Amino acid sequence: MTKLPSIGQPINRLEGVQKVTGTAKYSGEYNVDNLLYGYVVNSTITKGKIKSIDTAEAEKLDGIISILTHENQPSTAWFDLQYADMDAPPGTVFKPLKDNEIKYNGQPIALVVAETFEMARYAAHLIKVVYTEEEFSTDLSGNKGKAREPKKGLASMLKPPPPKPKGDFGKAYQASFAKIESDFTHGTEHHNPMEMFATTVVYEGKEKLKIYDKTQGTINSQMYVANVFGLKMKNVQVIAPFVGGGFGSGLRPQYQLFMAVMASLKLKRNVRVTLDRAQMYTFGHRPPTLQTTKFGADENGKLNAAYHKAIGETSQFEDYVETVVNWAQMLYPVENTLLEHELVPLDVYSPLDMRAPGGSTGMHAIEITMDELAYKLKIDPLELRLINYSDIDTTSGKEYSSKELKECYLQGAESFGWKNRNPEPRSMKRGNKLVGYGMATGIWEANRLLARAEITMTKDLKVEIKNAVTDIGTGTLTVMTQIASDELGLPIEDITFLYADSKMPFAPIQGGSFTVATVGPAVQEACRSMNKRLFNKAKVLKNSPLAKAKFKEVIFDQGFIILKSDLNVKVSVKQIFEENNLKATQTTSTAMPNPLRHGKKARAVHSAVFVEVEVDEELGMIEVKRAVTAVAAGKIINPKTAESQILGGMIWGISKALHEETILDNRFGKYMNANLAEYHIPVHADVQDLKAIFVKEDDNFVNDLGVKGIGEIGIVGMPPAIANAIFHATGRRIHNLPIHFDQLIS
């Protein structure tokens, strides 16, 4: 008997049929009796105060149940909270309708609750608001002189500040054989997941709520609601089995959750609040960031000095910060470094984590600077990175638990055909198109947090596993089922993974590429606990052939506990249930990183990206013709879902480099393209030949599964690789994102 593994198999998504047939229910689609509908009214000014808000005309309409404003909001809903959710940065959590003060353009100022969505939306447009306007500031570039260091808080645990200076950067830089100094501008981006934000609140009496929410963390939303509204955690249940994309936008509870809960508690009714597409631009975004780099190297290409400074945007009420400038020192061994990160508080809403927050921003500047250095030294860009390769994270001085980046470079270059590149800019043509090859490195931290899982097995060997984690489309449901199948030795069809319910065992928010590395070990440990329980019962069966065996000497496969040294020696699990008169057995386990052990090594996932572009010589139009991303991310649980994650990140990398940008008119403090017609994203014609390669990487240190996250690594190296390819094609170095054709027209 040979144990057939589930891990490593390209299994189709278990929820795929539900999604493509429309039977998967999202937060705004649950059928609830006697449901009321809320529509949010947003401010039309950027800063000031509401002088008056006239709701009389709207209230006359049939079907209008209530209109909530700062003048009649429930008085019990206010607590001065600094941290109301797991992802809150230092500051004070924004609370809608708290008072008449306007902090940013688009701020929610009223909620119309009606018997139908259409009536609520119509009535919202009849509300008359008079403001007293105040001077505001939303221009990052114009206010960079006001930059300051970020305040420290809980977020620093996962977003460490820049390391202290090392060596003497100024002296080393001036003495360098080759020096590059560059400035970079990164524009604002908004998440724009396919599913818009909606919350359906079912009022179950006595301030007990069942909430269907668009979220990347059911327990996070539960914690937020309980904290803000003073409810008992046990009386708040949040459910989110299907999430139509998040990309970080669902890490923090958004204001439709607050508004829906507030209305439900006040009216003691079931309420649904859904934001429209324009309102999706009124909370959170990837912040615009200004960066400066100064890199120095000796005549052989060895880096000896690195300076990286970032100035990012934040709100006036919270200090949102990203890890932008730390990456160069994590990748390249530089003896003299100076890394700085500052914030400019502006009259905008707090920025929000967006796929590879900070990493995709910082690596853009770092990897373009490395490319500039390569051209100045007349060294192949790939060779320059190999010259500066290290298995040590020089930030901490610790060896990486695993780092197969060198193999990523080699396999990626071979698959792409990097050797065919003519190093001279503007030297490669295809008809009237200039052809360019570019490459870049990617890195993302391999973090792991605490999680719990509960497992129940019945006498017919059907298994249920519970954990509160969400699945934002990454394949979490499928890979967790594979992990359980592999550990228990049971077919996937006999295992049900129940998830996305705050009543289930703890899971953190789903983000930061740590979900599989966090929840996976909890599932694995729960299955091991179940196996140990069954094994101990098998040992004491009458005339048990496993009486003298040890747990490490057996395997579990196809419903049997089998001695490794003699596969004919086995005990049926069903026999264990029958002889113990069991209908079912259950156990709960916790898995968390050992801080003493994990602190001994650095942990990261790495990639090498190779891109070919064509640029129309006369029109400046850019096409990404093909790209290869080679990734080293430990053990790959499911190659099919993993490939999907990398390809999705690569497509977003194309979007970041060439398309996505939210335009803020600083005269009004307002985003001018809050729609998918003018907020440009790639279409089918923009996505051509993309390839993902998974390099074999064994890592028994990061966790027992040997897995690292892959959600972010697919995007971090793409934008700089594209920018570097554009330079190779045209000879023009562009430091701003996104890159538009007008910047390439002579």
Side-chain angles (χ1 to χ4, degrees):
M1 184 180 293
T2 303
K3 192 174 189 294
L4 298 176
S6 293
I7 290 177
Q9 301 305 306
I11 294 169
N12 291 336
R13 293 173 185 267
L14 299 181
E15 82 286 15
V17 172
Q18 292 171 273
K19 286 185 173 180
V20 300
T21 58
T23 56
K25 283 188 180 295
Y26 294 82
S27 59
E29 297 181 329
Y30 284 87
N31 299 319
V32 177
D33 293 335
N34 302 313
L35 183 64
L36 300 177
Y37 296 84
Y39 190 84
V40 178
V41 180
N42 300 87
S43 72
T44 57
I45 69 165
T46 300
K47 188 177 182 180
K49 289 182 171 57
I50 298 173
K51 189 174 182 180
S52 65
I53 182 164
D54 184 357
T55 61
E57 189 176 352
E59 289 172 335
K60 292 176 183 177
L61 297 174
D62 291 338
I64 300 300
I65 304 299
S66 180
I67 300 177
L68 299 174
T69 70
H70 69 279
E71 296 176 341
N72 65 346
Q73 48 78 18
S75 59
T76 58
W78 313 114
F79 295 85
D80 189 18
L81 293 171
Q82 182 172 13
Y83 299 107
D85 65 88
M86 297 179 192
D87 202 43
T92 302
V93 171
F94 172 73
K95 298 174 285 291
L97 311 191
K98 179 184 179 183
D99 50 36
N100 69 338
E101 185 179 353
I102 302 300
K103 298 177 182 292
Y104 72 97
N105 200 295
Q107 175 179 319
I109 59 172
L111 179 72
V112 180
V113 183
E115 292 178 353
T116 67
F117 172 79
E118 291 78 12
M119 182 58 72
R121 181 173 59 183
Y122 174 66
H125 291 87
L126 300 179
I127 295 174
K128 300 178 178 65
V129 185
V130 177
Y131 301 97
T132 300
E133 295 192 56
E134 300 174 10
E135 288 188 14
F136 58 85
S137 181
T138 59
D139 181 10
L140 176 64
S141 296
N143 287 277
K144 63 182 181 180
K146 300 178 182 178
R148 58 165 173 76
E149 287 191 2
K151 298 172 185 174
K152 292 183 172 55
L154 294 177
S156 301
M157 294 173 62
L158 287 177
K159 298 177 180 178
K164 294 179 180 179
K166 189 171 66 169
D168 188 334
F169 163 77
K171 183 178 179 180
Y173 181 72
Q174 290 304 319
S176 295
F177 175 80
K179 296 189 284 287
I180 295 293
E181 178 176 355
S182 297
D183 294 315
F184 299 83
T185 301
H186 187 293
T188 307
E189 295 174 39
H190 278 81
H191 300 75
N192 275 306
M194 188 178 296
E195 180 199 9
M196 292 177 284
F197 276 83
T199 299
T200 303
V201 181
V202 180
Y203 187 81
E204 297 183 323
K206 296 183 179 179
E207 297 191 334
K208 187 176 181 181
L209 307 175
K210 179 185 287 186
I211 303 170
Y212 301 98
D213 189 37
K214 164 69 180 275
T215 179
Q216 290 175 238
T218 56
I219 291 177
N220 196 37
S221 289
Q222 176 196 33
M223 184 173 76
Y224 173 85
V225 169
N227 282 337
V228 170
F229 291 96
L231 304 177
K232 295 179 180 178
M233 287 278 284
K234 67 178 183 179
N235 287 340
V236 180
Q237 181 181 16
V238 179
I239 301 170
F242 296 101
V243 180
F247 316 119
S249 62
L251 290 176
R252 300 192 68 185
Q254 302 305 344
Y255 65 74
Q256 93 291 335
L257 172 63
F258 180 99
M259 306 290 255
V261 170
M262 177 182 63
S264 179
L265 290 172
K266 180 179 176 66
L267 301 172
K268 295 179 169 47
R269 294 281 302 273
N270 304 332
V271 177
R272 174 178 295 155
V273 177
T274 303
L275 303 185
D276 61 27
R277 181 57 65 182
Q279 289 170 329
M280 296 285 285
Y281 291 79
T282 60
F283 61 85
H285 53 277
R286 195 192 299 276
T289 306
L290 309 174
Q291 299 180 75
T292 298
T293 58
K294 299 178 185 179
F295 283 15
D298 64 23
E299 61 270 25
N300 298 315
K302 192 73 173 176
L303 287 177
N304 53 26
Y307 171 80
H308 189 180
K309 180 175 182 177
I311 300 176
E313 169 189 276
T314 192
S315 67
Q316 298 283 7
F317 48 90
E318 289 179 319
D319 263 23
Y320 173 82
V321 68
E322 296 181 335
T323 303
V324 179
V325 302
N326 302 23
W327 307 101
Q329 195 167 311
M330 292 172 65
L331 263 180
Y332 305 118
V334 191
E335 294 182 358
N336 303 281
T337 59
L338 177 58
L339 309 174
E340 300 175 311
H341 190 179
E342 296 179 336
L343 296 179
V344 177
L346 297 170
D347 296 307
V348 298
Y349 191 76
S350 298
L352 181 63
D353 291 348
M354 190 172 185
R355 198 170 194 170
S360 60
T361 302
M363 290 304 294
H364 166 243
I366 292 165
E367 289 302 288
I368 289 180
T369 306
M370 287 293 286
D371 201 64
E372 291 182 277
L373 199 56
Y375 278 94
K376 188 162 190 176
L377 289 163
K378 293 182 170 54
I379 296 175
D380 184 286
L382 174 57
E383 180 62 26
L384 181 66
R385 286 160 175 84
L386 290 170
I387 290 170
N388 289 281
Y389 188 86
S390 174
D391 288 319
I392 303 294
D393 170 13
T394 53
T395 301
S396 62
K398 298 172 184 175
E399 181 184 12
Y400 279 104
S401 61
S402 59
K403 185 181 178 182
E404 294 294 341
L405 175 57
K406 189 174 293 184
E407 198 61 31
C408 290
Y409 287 139
L410 300 178
Q411 290 187 30
E414 178 65 25
S415 176
F416 180 81
W418 181 258
K419 64 184 179 182
N420 300 322
R421 166 184 172 272
N422 185 324
E424 288 300 315
R426 296 185 74 93
S427 63
M428 298 169 64
K429 292 190 69 174
R430 193 175 291 133
N432 67 329
K433 304 288 182 67
L434 298 168
V435 177
Y437 285 5
M439 63 86 56
T441 309
I443 183 173
W444 188 256
E445 290 182 308
N447 284 317
R448 177 188 171 190
L449 305 176
L450 177 147
R452 288 171 58 80
E454 175 188 291
I455 180 172
T456 303
M457 182 182 290
T458 62
K459 64 181 180 180
D460 56 355
L461 305 193
K462 302 297 182 183
V463 175
E464 280 189 354
I465 299 174
K466 295 181 179 180
N467 176 268
V469 69
T470 56
D471 185 340
I472 57 175
T474 54
T476 305
L477 163 64
T478 306
V479 299
M480 294 305 159
T481 308
Q482 288 180 259
I483 291 168
S485 171
D486 213 55
E487 198 68 34
L488 296 170
L490 294 174
I492 276 185
E493 53 267 24
D494 289 342
I495 297 171
T496 302
F497 182 68
L498 301 174
Y499 63 105
D501 185 333
S502 64
K503 295 290 187 183
M504 294 177 182
F506 178 81
I509 48 180
Q510 184 175 28
S513 289
F514 52 65
T515 295
V516 176
T518 294
V519 179
V523 170
Q524 182 187 44
E525 189 57 39
C527 292
R528 284 181 178 174
S529 295
M530 178 61 69
N531 284 346
K532 288 177 182 177
R533 177 174 293 186
L534 295 171
F535 173 71
N536 289 333
K537 291 183 180 298
K539 283 172 64 72
V540 297
L541 291 176
K542 188 176 181 180
N543 299 320
S544 172
L546 300 176
K548 295 183 179 180
K550 296 179 180 178
F551 182 70
K552 64 182 180 180
E553 296 172 346
V554 300
I555 60 171
F556 289 72
D557 190 32
Q558 300 179 45
F560 290 90
I561 306 176
I562 307 164
L563 196 64
K564 291 178 183 177
S565 60
D566 186 348
L567 300 183
N568 293 314
V569 178
K570 57 188 176 182
V571 171
S572 166
V573 176
K574 284 189 176 181
Q575 181 186 352
I576 297 171
F577 275 86
E578 290 168 359
E579 296 201 17
N580 286 276
N581 197 26
L582 292 173
K583 291 183 179 179
T585 184
Q586 183 183 92
T587 184
T588 303
S589 297
T590 301
M592 63 180 293
N594 182 334
L596 296 178
R597 180 173 184 268
H598 274 235
K600 294 179 179 178
K601 291 189 178 183
R603 303 175 306 281
V605 57
H606 299 88
S607 69
V609 184
F610 299 84
V611 170
E612 177 189 307
V613 301
E614 284 185 355
V615 181
D616 188 293
E617 194 167 11
E618 294 180 344
L619 302 178
M621 305 208 33
I622 307 162
E623 283 186 278
V624 176
K625 301 301 291 184
R626 60 192 183 95
V628 174
T629 294
V631 179
K635 185 179 292 183
I636 304 301
I637 302 293
N638 185 322
K640 181 175 285 189
T641 57
E643 180 187 42
S644 179
Q645 284 294 289
I646 299 301
L647 294 180
M650 293 172 72
I651 293 168
W652 200 337
I654 295 171
S655 194
K656 277 181 59 62
L658 304 178
H659 301 278
E660 286 193 55
E661 183 179 22
T662 322
I663 306 298
L664 182 68
D665 190 326
N666 290 306
R667 297 172 300 172
F668 308 109
K670 178 180 174 62
Y671 295 114
M672 305 307 292
N673 57 328
N675 55 72
L676 286 181
E678 296 167 306
Y679 184 91
H680 296 161
I681 58 176
V683 296
H684 286 85
D686 297 306
V687 180
Q688 300 190 39
D689 182 9
L690 304 182
K691 182 178 181 180
I693 297 172
F694 291 105
V695 171
K696 187 177 186 303
E697 184 175 66
D698 296 320
D699 193 328
N700 296 320
F701 182 88
V702 65
N703 51 59
D704 286 350
L705 284 168
V707 300
K708 300 177 180 179
I710 56 172
E712 333 279 335
I713 193 63
I715 189 174
V716 288
M718 277 291 287
I722 292 170
N724 292 339
I726 289 171
F727 171 76
H728 180 237
T730 66
R732 294 197 176 188
R733 185 68 72 178
I734 299 174
H735 292 139
N736 304 333
L737 287 187
I739 299 171
H740 292 153
F741 70 92
D742 57 308
Q743 297 168 282
L744 297 171
I745 297 176
S746 297

